Amino acid sequence: MTDRGFVVVRGGALTTVQDRDGRVGHAHLGVPRSGALDPGAAALVNRLVGNPENAAVLETTLDGCAVRPRCAVTVAVGGAPCPVRVDGRPVAWGAAVRVPAGAVLEVGTAVRGLRAYVAFAGGVAVEPVLGSRSADLLSGLGPGPLAAGAVLPLGAAPGGVPCRDGAPWPGVPGELVLRVRLGPRHGWFTERALRTFASRAYRVSAASNRIGLRTEGPPLERAVTAELPSEGMVLGAVQVPPDGRPVVFLADHPTTGGYPVVGVVREADLAGAAQAVPGTAVRFVVG
């Protein structure tokens, strides 16, 4: 067996393999896009270790993970700020770090934000499925969440020189502001509901996950109470289930749905949703 790989010591609350782009172009087959919830962070950690921006990385949730590389490898941890240690010694977050063979790389609990990204020089080389190495929690495609004892392969080390300097990272917002274009079913809601949607504060629910960011706050009243046949769903769609609380669809969202979509969030704003911890204030800005 090749030594280009690592052993999972601690999988954490939820650590998955993700690439930046996911499975683009398969929605007509019922396959979600998947991919990193914070694609900018995934691309940046890859650049720090000399990888192509779409190389597969680890996406951790809240409490990080721990792995033991079988070979010496350059790594970078970014996204949500968190402590990083190699064999118990603190090392830099947001910069390229050399990890010796057999040492334990530990990604700790996020200080701010929710999801950290771990890049290895050469990328996580699990077998691609439909053009992506990403784990999809909804369909089950790709590798499963990391579990202790699992061994994952690494690709060949890139020929480029890793970036030894740190990189500027966007801050984790204290308030999540999501710009929304109304439609296609905003006519199914009362005028009062649309005013509420655009003016009232919501909070991120603890029930949020990679499929969708659920909100807590004032419910949106329907003007049309009829059943809606299932129709196509897109990344960023704000679906309103029967309880009236908006749900923002994220990377593992279903490709069809039967609840009305009041609007669609701009894709550029969804990285903030990836880092929003439960209780974070949410404002929808319509325009």
Side-chain angles (χ1 to χ4, degrees):
M1 179 180 291
T2 179
D3 286 336
R4 293 282 311 166
F6 62 87
V7 179
V8 179
V9 176
R10 179 177 65 85
L14 176 65
T15 301
T16 59
V17 177
Q18 301 293 338
D19 50 37
R20 181 191 64 183
D21 297 341
R23 295 181 181 85
V24 179
H26 299 290
H28 65 292
L29 300 175
V31 177
R33 174 173 168 176
S34 195
L37 289 190
D38 189 341
L44 185 47
V45 290
N46 271 322
R47 292 204 300 271
L48 287 170
V49 299
N51 288 343
E53 292 188 353
N54 195 42
V57 301
L58 300 183
E59 178 185 274
T60 75
T61 307
L62 189 60
D63 68 344
C65 67
V67 300
R68 187 191 305 273
R70 290 179 159 180
C71 57
V73 63
T74 300
V75 304
V77 180
C82 60
V84 184
R85 294 181 175 85
V86 174
D87 275 349
R89 297 186 300 274
V91 297
W93 171 91
V97 173
R98 191 70 172 169
V99 179
V104 174
L105 169 70
E106 184 169 4
V107 180
T109 299
V111 177
R112 296 186 306 279
L114 190 60
R115 293 179 171 90
Y117 291 85
V118 187
F120 302 82
V124 183
V126 295
E127 195 67 27
V129 179
L130 295 177
S132 173
R133 292 182 165 90
S134 293
D136 179 352
L137 300 185
L138 184 65
S139 71
L141 293 176
L146 266 62
V151 179
L152 278 71
L154 294 174
V161 178
C163 175
R164 293 299 180 184
D165 296 325
W169 289 88
V172 175
E175 179 184 49
L176 183 60
V177 178
L178 301 176
R179 295 170 293 175
V180 178
R181 177 175 295 178
L182 288 179
R185 299 296 178 186
H186 64 286
W188 282 51
F189 297 90
T190 65
E191 288 296 324
R192 179 180 176 181
L194 296 179
R195 289 194 300 271
T196 296
F197 178 63
S199 63
R200 297 285 297 277
Y202 288 82
R203 295 179 306 278
V204 175
S205 166
S208 301
N209 53 28
R210 281 186 48 86
I211 296 171
L213 183 143
R214 296 182 177 273
T215 65
E216 300 170 345
L220 302 183
E221 182 183 23
R222 293 263 296 265
V224 179
T225 58
E227 293 292 325
L228 179 68
S230 289
E231 53 189 4
M233 292 289 139
V234 299
L235 182 67
V238 184
Q239 193 183 64
V240 183
D243 68 3
R245 273 77 179 186
V247 178
V248 181
F249 276 169
L250 302 178
D252 287 357
H253 71 84
T255 56
T256 61
Y259 300 132
V261 172
V262 67
V264 178
V265 174
R266 294 189 189 186
E267 189 168 341
D269 293 352
L270 295 177
Q275 300 296 357
V277 299
T280 299
V282 183
R283 285 196 302 115
F284 294 101
V285 178
V286 175

